[in-house]
Amino acid sequence: MVSGTQWPSRLCEGVVEVERRRFLGLAATGVAAGAVGVTAAGCSGPGSDSVTLKLVAADYGDPSGDNSSQEYWEDLVRAFTKKYPDISVDITVHSWNDVDRKVAEMVKDGDPPDLAQIGAYANYANEGELYSASDLLSIPVQADFVPGLADAGAVTRVQYGMPFVSSTRLLFFNKTLFTEAGLDPEAPPESWKELKKAASALKSAGVKIPYGLPLGPEEAPAETLMWMLTGGGGYTDKVGHYTIDSAANVRTFTFLRDELVGAGLTNPDPGATDRQDLFDAFSRGEVGMLNGHPTLIQQIARGDVDYGTAVVPGVDGPSEATLGVADWMMAFSHNGRKKELGTFLDFVYAEKQHYALVDRYDLLPVTTAARERMRRDPEHKQLWRFLDQLSEAEYYPDGKVSWAHVSAAVKERIGSAVEKGGNPKNVLSSLQRLAETEESSARS
């Protein structure tokens, strides 16, 4: 009898694919527990020579520097190399302002990393530069991704983007400042009209930043989509066509320009203001309201701010649409090393390692096992409201190969739509034209 490690590679890969499809089908019906997992690595030959994987990742820590993602990765890699001494991992961590650009430069120079944990994957997948998730992950690991997030990682129905962490958004408000401004700290605004009224009261009470609006490069695509959704719009329609300059979106940014920014109810220059700047200011008690994600909770805990959270206000009432953001892990095929990449990624997404990440940074998990664990953990009760929004959230059009270029353009241009003398229609139309051109070029 021929042992599994001696099978011809094509035969082995065929068996793996059959078993993968069977397992994923069982997972979809909820009966996969206990099924036997088969991996591509399981069909590989005897141990390979020692290799070093190059990983470029984004930083989830705050500027204090005491919880940098570099530390998380170093802890994880130490545990990994103890178990797999023939595979080492070289880690480089960049801020979110720089990481996508750094990876793009590496790819352009013909020296991509083996792994990149960044914001967009579809353009690289379209160029044939990535392994698919099924090339690398064991069947149980791939099946454990939260379904909506796994779908968001697909290009033409093939998953290339592996969700790494996720988040949803809520309105954060400073209860102390609300009280001082004569506002009910248990009744946050539910509509745009109420938001403006509350911001005006906060301004009259001397609050430095009544409403924080981060349209600088760090957070612009998310804040933009959040406001589009509250106004009944979005980047795309239900069938995936770009609708950036829709009437609903123009109305939304006209409101921001005239009723909030123009009225002096926000930070002075939203287009030059990053999310972290406002998170820091909120944690110092200088911001009345802003849209925030779970990481802000951890930062607030190190200070002394009495805060509340609420559904993000919509044009006529609480927003019916919720923003979800996923960050992505992707594996470049330039250097090969498929077996080693699969081994490392299976380790990264194991419940112990993945939960250590989301627990450390108050982020939302992307695997079912870690999500269920967080929902049972009373220490994370403050995250349950975010977690419960995850299944209904609306995400960036990450699967569109044009999205990386569109997202970069949003970072550069959207702030000008709300500045004094800005023209929301012109700015949004310029982004629409760019999006259509990039999408058409990608398909040709």
Side-chain angles (χ1 to χ4, degrees), residues 178-242:
F178 264 51
T179 299
E180 292 174 354
L183 299 168
D184 184 349
E186 302 304 324
E190 296 184 342
S191 67
W192 288 0
K193 182 178 180 180
E194 292 177 4
L195 179 68
K196 181 184 178 182
K197 182 178 179 180
S200 297
L202 290 164
K203 181 180 180 180
S204 297
V207 175
K208 185 175 181 180
I209 303 175
Y211 179 83
L213 183 64
L215 293 177
E218 183 184 17
E219 181 72 347
E223 189 75 14
T224 295
L225 180 53
M226 222 177 329
W227 274 97
M228 286 177 171
L229 292 173
T230 68
Y235 285 124
T236 61
D237 59 21
K238 293 186 182 299
V239 294
H241 297 136
Y242 279 114

Side-chain angles (χ1 to χ4, degrees), residues 269-292:
D269 186 1
T273 306
D274 283 340
R275 168 188 60 191
Q276 192 59 56
D277 296 333
L278 290 175
F279 278 15
D280 293 345
F282 189 90
S283 299
R284 294 191 300 266
E286 298 172 357
V287 178
M289 301 175 285
L290 51 68
N291 293 329

Side-chain angles (χ1 to χ4, degrees), residues 79-381:
F80 175 75
T81 53
K82 184 176 181 179
K83 186 174 183 179
Y84 300 98
D86 289 338
I87 307 174
S88 58
V89 184
D90 180 35
I91 312 154
T92 304
V93 173
H94 295 289
S95 75
W96 273 109
N97 281 346
D98 301 323
V99 66
D100 290 273
R101 175 176 54 82
K102 294 286 188 180
V103 171
E105 290 172 353
M106 294 172 72
V107 173
K108 184 178 180 180
D109 292 341
D111 185 29
D114 297 290
L115 292 161
Q117 183 264 301
I118 53 177
Y121 63 86
N123 54 324
Y124 298 123
N126 187 58
E127 295 297 324
E129 294 170 333
L130 302 181
Y131 285 119
S132 70
S134 60
D135 285 332
L136 303 172
L137 300 177
S138 66
I139 298 167
V141 169
Q142 189 179 2
D144 196 35
F145 285 132
V146 174
L149 289 169
D151 293 342
V155 175
T156 60
R157 300 184 181 180
V158 177
Q159 185 183 357
Y160 294 96
M162 291 164 275
F164 186 66
V165 292
S166 60
S167 67
T168 58
R169 300 294 196 270
L170 291 171
L171 178 74
F172 283 68
F173 59 98
N174 185 312
K175 290 187 174 183
T176 301
L177 296 181
F178 264 51
T179 299
E180 292 174 354
L183 299 168
D184 184 349
E186 302 304 324
E190 296 184 342
S191 67
W192 288 0
K193 182 178 180 180
E194 292 177 4
L195 179 68
K196 181 184 178 182
K197 182 178 179 180
S200 297
L202 290 164
K203 181 180 180 180
S204 297
V207 175
K208 185 175 181 180
I209 303 175
Y211 179 83
L213 183 64
L215 293 177
E218 183 184 17
E219 181 72 347
E223 189 75 14
T224 295
L225 180 53
M226 222 177 329
W227 274 97
M228 286 177 171
L229 292 173
T230 68
Y235 285 124
T236 61
D237 59 21
K238 293 186 182 299
V239 294
H241 297 136
Y242 279 114
T243 56
I244 298 172
D245 62 349
S246 68
N249 291 341
V250 172
R251 177 184 62 174
T252 294
F253 278 85
T254 300
F255 170 82
L256 286 173
R257 180 195 65 186
D258 297 342
E259 306 299 326
L260 291 185
V261 179
L265 302 178
T266 69
N267 36 297
D269 186 1
T273 306
D274 283 340
R275 168 188 60 191
Q276 192 59 56
D277 296 333
L278 290 175
F279 278 15
D280 293 345
F282 189 90
S283 299
R284 294 191 300 266
E286 298 172 357
V287 178
M289 301 175 285
L290 51 68
N291 293 329
H293 57 62
T295 301
L296 179 55
I297 293 175
Q298 186 181 70
Q299 186 170 342
I300 293 172
R302 293 193 287 272
D304 185 27
V305 172
D306 184 16
Y307 74 97
T309 61
V311 174
V312 175
V315 59
D316 294 315
S319 179
E320 296 180 0
T322 300
L323 170 69
V325 176
D327 301 329
W328 302 99
M329 177 72 77
M330 61 211 71
F332 288 87
S333 58
H334 180 80
N335 295 320
R337 302 169 181 168
K338 182 166 69 172
K339 176 184 175 182
E340 291 82 6
L341 286 167
T343 300
F344 180 66
L345 288 171
D346 273 3
F347 187 85
V348 168
Y349 284 105
E351 181 184 338
K352 180 180 179 180
Q353 279 70 243
H354 186 53
Y355 198 78
L357 171 70
V358 296
D359 176 66
R360 182 169 186 158
Y361 295 107
D362 280 342
L363 294 166
L364 303 186
V366 299
T367 68
T368 300
R371 180 180 65 175
E372 292 176 351
R373 179 175 172 181
M374 179 173 282
R375 199 62 180 81
R376 296 190 303 265
D377 187 348
E379 291 188 4
H380 284 304
K381 186 175 181 179

